[in-house]
Amino acid sequence: MTTTNPTRGQLERTLSQRIQSFYRNQLGHQPTKVTCQLFEQKLVIIIEDSLTPAEQLLAQEGQEELAEQIHSTLDEVTKPQIKELLEEVMKVEVIDLLSDATLETSRTGIIAVLAANPQVRNPETIPGVRSRRPSARSNDVA
């Protein structure tokens, strides 16, 4: 039985759903939206409403520094799990995972640097990836 590679859109949707589920299961908080966008050997993830209720409460009560410290600690603790999730879904090694959050907007941004492009049915749709198909001119004989 052969398995077909997902399209770029299917892969990005699966990643978004899995990250949202991860937040719900591990942090007890479901972000309102997770957007994933593949670029050549990079994945950008934007998580809307990423702060937990406890972090939000601390920030609202003037404890921004403590809220940032808690978020940073949670980020460091969950980073290996997020990396593993990404590698499992994309079947590509994640070389580096960079992330930051903004208390004011409750938004988190993550950039994953990949060892290779993930295998998708339509690689030409990934910005920065050129089609690997040989051109008609390369088959010409002089």
Side-chain angles (χ1 to χ4, degrees):
M1 182 175 134
T2 60
T3 58
T4 58
N5 291 327
T7 65
R8 171 184 156 215
Q10 289 170 331
L11 184 61
E12 291 170 342
R13 265 189 308 283
T14 299
L15 287 165
S16 296
Q17 292 166 352
R18 292 283 305 273
I19 292 167
Q20 198 164 40
S21 177
F22 173 83
Y23 265 72
R24 183 180 60 247
N25 295 330
Q26 294 297 313
L27 301 176
H29 171 70
Q30 183 166 330
T32 56
K33 184 176 181 181
V34 177
T35 304
C36 295
Q37 176 74 49
L38 276 168
F39 295 92
E40 187 173 12
Q41 292 185 302
K42 292 164 202 69
L43 173 69
V44 175
I45 305 164
I46 305 296
I47 305 170
E48 306 284 342
D49 297 319
S50 64
L51 299 179
T52 65
E55 293 168 299
Q56 292 172 15
L57 179 62
L58 288 170
Q60 290 167 0
E61 295 299 319
Q63 298 291 322
E64 292 88 1
E65 190 174 315
L66 182 56
E68 286 176 3
Q69 183 181 6
I70 289 171
H71 189 81
S72 178
T73 301
L74 285 172
D75 184 53
E76 287 304 312
V77 169
T78 58
K79 197 176 274 190
Q81 296 168 320
I82 295 281
K83 180 180 177 193
E84 185 179 312
L85 181 155
L86 298 176
E87 290 176 340
E88 176 187 323
V89 173
M90 293 188 294
K91 298 176 182 21
V92 172
E93 180 187 1
V94 174
I95 297 171
D96 207 357
L97 199 59
L98 314 164
S99 66
D100 198 10
T102 304
L103 290 179
E104 295 80 24
T105 63
S106 188
R107 192 173 289 129
T108 296
I110 301 172
I111 299 172
V113 180
L114 311 174
N117 292 315
Q119 295 295 312
V120 294
R121 280 197 311 246
N122 53 349
E124 69 281 354
T125 65
I126 299 174
V129 175
R130 289 176 179 74
S131 177
R132 306 286 188 237
R133 296 180 190 148
S135 68
R137 300 194 77 185
S138 65
N139 293 331
D140 292 344
V141 178

